[in-house]
Amino acid sequence: MSSTTLAVRPTGVERVLADDQLIVSKTDLKGRLTYTNDVFLTISAIEEQDAIGRPHNLIRHPSMPRGIFRLLWDTLRAGDELFAYVQNLALDGAHYWVFAHVTPSRDAQGRVVGYHSTRRAVSARARAEVERLYGQMLQVEAQHPGRGADEASLTWLQDRLTEQGQTYSEWLWSVAGGAR
Ligand SMILES: Cc1cc2nc3c(=O)[nH]c(=O)nc-3n(C[C@H](O)[C@H](O)[C@H](O)COP(=O)(O)O)c2cc1C
């Protein structure tokens, strides 16, 4: 997607979603925000009028592997849903981790007209596993500077999980856990 991300510097301050909070956003086919709920706005430190119409990479965290977003878009463009762990960057520099579900939205004829995402808190157990795996993906990306980084780290991820006999989705649920 277009790289119009603002130059927000991460402060290291972490925000944690409460167990009863859900972040919701919707986008058009190009990933531009068309709807954000209040939890999204508050945790991302953004006003609604500054969010609507902007690309969703508005809250992209620089420590997120590109390969995860490649997986996200490959999956959505195939018409499928995806669950993923994502670290986001609020506009005041704080960050927050989410367990996200992202899915195409369809009209009455079944045509994809946009995308929809709902996110909840990440368990402490999952968090440690995710940071380890994503850290390794970032190392792969550092060895592939430029446009091929996303494909390189996604291939590395899929090979690594295949060795374990898992897909990304199976791995994601296996580390999800219940307790925080
Ligand atoms: C419905 C939907 C929700 C998304 N949610 C996020 C999100 O929470 N955080 C994020 O960084 N990217 C999210 N993305 C992916 C962004 O569109 C974008 O691909 C990503 O931030 C990487 O930015 P880049 O493609 O400019 O590198 C979402 C995309 C869609 C379609």
Side-chain angles (χ1 to χ4, degrees):
M1 296 294 95
S2 63
S3 51
T4 51
T5 316
L6 294 176
V8 176
R9 195 172 302 150
T11 58
V13 171
E14 175 158 12
R15 292 204 175 100
V16 179
L17 266 181
D19 286 340
D20 62 354
Q21 283 184 311
L22 290 175
I23 298 174
V24 182
S25 63
K26 298 182 195 178
T27 75
D28 63 13
L29 291 171
K30 293 194 166 166
R32 289 180 298 233
L33 288 158
T34 55
Y35 170 79
T36 51
N37 74 344
D38 285 346
V39 183
F40 178 102
L41 296 170
T42 304
I43 200 163
S44 306
I46 187 168
E47 301 287 333
E48 187 176 31
Q49 67 265 24
D50 297 327
I52 302 302
R54 299 290 307 279
H56 214 311
N57 68 7
L58 182 66
I59 52 165
R60 188 205 196 295
H61 196 289
S63 299
M64 271 299 292
R66 294 175 192 282
I68 295 299
F69 296 120
R70 174 70 185 263
L71 175 66
L72 172 84
W73 281 102
D74 285 355
T75 306
L76 292 177
R77 289 192 178 118
D80 296 326
E81 63 174 4
L82 180 80
F83 290 88
Y85 294 109
V86 180
Q87 180 178 199
N88 280 329
L89 182 63
L91 268 65
D92 62 358
H95 65 270
Y96 59 92
W97 279 92
V98 292
F99 178 92
H101 173 246
V102 192
T103 187
S105 303
R106 296 175 187 276
D107 67 11
Q109 282 73 44
R111 289 177 299 229
V112 176
V113 291
Y115 303 106
H116 186 139
S117 179
T118 308
R119 314 168 186 86
R120 63 174 167 82
V122 176
S123 70
R125 173 168 173 256
R127 174 69 183 277
E129 295 285 338
V130 176
E131 290 202 66
R132 195 167 56 80
L133 196 66
Y134 284 10
Q136 291 172 306
M137 289 179 75
L138 288 173
Q139 283 178 20
V140 173
E141 291 182 8
Q143 291 158 12
H144 294 82
R147 297 183 70 86
D150 57 348
E151 198 175 334
S153 73
L154 181 54
T155 301
W156 177 89
L157 175 69
Q158 286 167 336
D159 289 350
R160 177 76 199 282
L161 293 173
T162 300
E163 282 166 22
Q164 295 174 200
Q166 288 178 314
T167 62
Y168 178 77
S169 178
E170 288 165 345
W171 167 79
L172 170 138
W173 287 108
S174 72
V175 300
R180 309 266 335 247

